[in-house]
Amino acid sequence: DAGITQSPRHKVTETGTPVTLRCHQTENHRYMYWYRQDPGHGLRLIHYSYGVKDTDKGEVSDGYSVSRSKTEDFLLTLESATSSQTSVYFCAISESKGNHKGYGYTFGSGTRLTVV
Amino acid sequence: KNQVEQSPQSLIILEGKNCTLQCNYTVSPFSNLRWYKQDTGRGPVSLTIMTFSENTKSNGRYTATLDADTKQSSLHITASQLSDSASYICVVSAWYGNNRLAFGKGNQVVVIP
């Protein structure tokens, strides 16, 4: 999607190893989010950021950490990957809070992570 | 308990036919409701956003309706095309809070020739 890039697109890693996923935006949007998507579940929020070095936890944050040292980059780290973290991870950006009527989210194309 | 329920979970329709997808929610107080289309292997893409005062919004062949009193929304696809094969996700936002959106699990639509 224009303006937001996720890398890598696919990754296979071993249990117990650290993994970092990257989200890069060119829209200069203040808010950035990490979601995971699993069969039988809606998208679930892992962490989000409302500015450089300002982050907060979502509903499924255990085992994940994030960092945002620049407006354009939001990193998601799995500290010690487990099989339960096998999922598709989506980054999203928005100009304003999610509950603001005028602003939608733009999602990246996703990262498919497999932990073996 | 999921705050956003979508039905049917999946459906198959013939190309050229219409279909309607349902979304019921319990999120309160309500701020806005969005429909997204997600193609296989891609991220969701916004179709419509509706606030409390809006009961219909269209985007090409997609028409969303909202009844905030009964907390129901529908997405109608007119004259379906093969490219409409996708998952359609209903997302509801509360009027307060710090960026928590409630996502439905999606309606999986398959359009066949």
Side-chain angles (χ1 to χ4, degrees):
Chain A
D1 293 287
I4 180 171
T5 306
Q6 291 186 232
S7 59
R9 289 298 312 277
H10 302 272
K11 186 170 182 65
V12 179
T13 191
E14 292 185 349
T15 300
T17 60
V19 177
T20 296
L21 309 183
R22 180 180 183 237
C23 178
H24 178 78
Q25 60 145 329
T26 58
E27 303 297 319
N28 201 36
H29 286 185
R30 178 179 176 186
Y31 294 86
M32 299 186 75
Y33 313 84
W34 277 107
Y35 288 90
R36 61 179 289 174
Q37 187 175 42
D38 304 288
H41 294 273
L43 283 150
R44 293 182 290 176
L45 181 65
I46 304 171
H47 281 280
Y48 67 97
S49 169
Y50 43 96
V52 173
K53 296 185 179 178
D54 289 325
T55 64
D56 206 348
K57 295 179 179 180
E59 59 186 296
V60 290
S61 60
D62 287 348
Y64 301 94
S65 62
V66 290
S67 65
R68 191 170 178 196
S69 59
K70 299 185 291 185
T71 298
E72 57 267 34
D73 290 325
F74 193 32
L75 304 181
L76 176 71
T77 297
L78 287 66
E79 294 139 10
S80 178
T82 67
S83 58
S84 65
Q85 294 177 311
T86 292
S87 185
V88 181
Y89 292 85
F90 286 99
C91 176
I93 60 175
S94 68
E95 293 181 80
S96 183
K97 284 185 178 182
N99 58 357
H100 192 288
K101 64 178 183 179
Y103 297 99
Y105 282 20
T106 300
F107 285 86
S109 296
T111 294
R112 183 172 293 277
L113 177 68
T114 303
V115 183
V116 298
Chain B
K1 179 172 167 54
N2 200 12
Q3 294 182 292
V4 179
E5 298 287 349
Q6 294 186 240
S7 63
Q9 183 176 351
S10 62
L11 75 161
I12 300 172
I13 58 174
L14 289 173
E15 186 178 13
K17 298 296 185 182
N18 304 335
C19 73
T20 300
L21 313 175
Q22 299 292 341
C23 173
N24 295 340
Y25 63 91
T26 59
V27 174
S28 181
F30 173 82
S31 174
N32 61 79
L33 183 147
R34 313 157 193 223
W35 282 95
Y36 284 84
K37 179 187 179 189
Q38 185 176 21
D39 294 317
T40 300
R42 304 299 302 273
V45 175
S46 181
L47 292 176
T48 62
I49 300 177
M50 290 184 291
T51 61
F52 182 89
S53 59
E54 298 171 299
N55 54 23
T56 300
K57 185 158 286 187
S58 293
N59 179 353
R61 294 178 297 101
Y62 301 101
T63 299
T65 65
L66 172 65
D67 185 335
D69 291 331
T70 61
K71 299 186 177 182
Q72 296 179 325
S73 177
S74 65
L75 181 69
H76 186 75
I77 305 175
T78 302
S80 61
Q81 300 177 357
L82 298 179
S83 60
D84 292 330
S85 295
S87 177
Y88 293 86
I89 303 172
C90 177
V91 186
V92 184
S93 174
W95 188 240
Y96 60 89
N98 55 359
N99 293 286
R100 302 298 175 95
L101 302 181
F103 287 80
K105 297 178 182 179
N107 305 99
Q108 186 66 46
V109 174
V110 175
V111 181
I112 60 176

